[in-house]
Amino acid sequence: HLGWPSVYNIISQPAEQPADPSTVITEVLRLPGDFPITAGFFTERVVDFCANANLRTITDLARFTYNPSWRASALAFRNFGKSSLAEIEGFSNAIRQLDKTQLLEYLP
C-alpha cells in the first residue's frame, strides 16, 4: 500500500437458478403437468422406484431431483442401483439444460 486509496468494485452475479420443472414440462415440452412416469420410456426399475417413492408424474420426478441429496435418498430404496441412478440423473440433467434431444430418450 503506497497511500493510494484502494477501491474494490465487487460485482456479485446471482447464481443461475434452474428452470422450474413444471414450467419446462408444460411450456417448453408442451406436456400436461400430470404426465405419468409410466407413460415415459423409463426402465422398469425406475418406474418401480418412482412408485415406491410416491413419485407419480414426471414433474414429481424432476422436482425430486432438484433436492441436492436426492441420490442418497434414492439409493436407500431396494433394487435401485447405478444404472437406475444414471437414468434418473440423465433425465434430470436434460430437464435442467432444456435438452430436447436427450429428453426424447425418456419422453414421447
Side-chain angles (χ1 to χ4, degrees):
H1 180 64
L2 300 173
W4 298 340
S6 58
V7 178
Y8 293 96
N9 200 6
I10 300 174
I11 301 173
S12 62
Q13 296 181 2
E16 187 176 316
Q17 295 293 323
D20 179 54
S22 60
T23 303
V24 172
I25 291 163
T26 57
E27 294 179 17
V28 177
L29 301 177
R30 302 204 185 276
L31 292 171
D34 60 350
F35 190 85
I37 291 171
T38 55
F41 305 131
F42 295 98
T43 61
E44 186 178 332
R45 284 192 178 191
V46 169
V47 171
D48 287 345
F49 160 74
C50 291
N52 291 334
N54 201 25
L55 304 171
R56 304 282 181 236
T57 67
I58 57 172
T59 303
D60 294 341
L61 179 58
R63 284 192 178 134
F64 174 77
T65 64
Y66 274 44
N67 181 345
S69 63
W70 75 267
R71 289 168 192 84
S73 299
L75 289 172
F77 283 88
R78 199 171 62 115
N79 293 332
F80 190 80
K82 291 180 182 179
S83 61
S84 300
L85 183 70
E87 183 177 348
I88 291 176
E89 200 160 56
F91 170 73
S92 175
N93 290 338
I95 288 282
R96 288 174 191 250
Q97 298 167 2
L98 303 175
D99 186 345
K100 290 182 182 179
T101 304
Q102 188 177 2
L103 282 169
L104 288 175
E105 293 179 28
Y106 309 103
L107 302 172

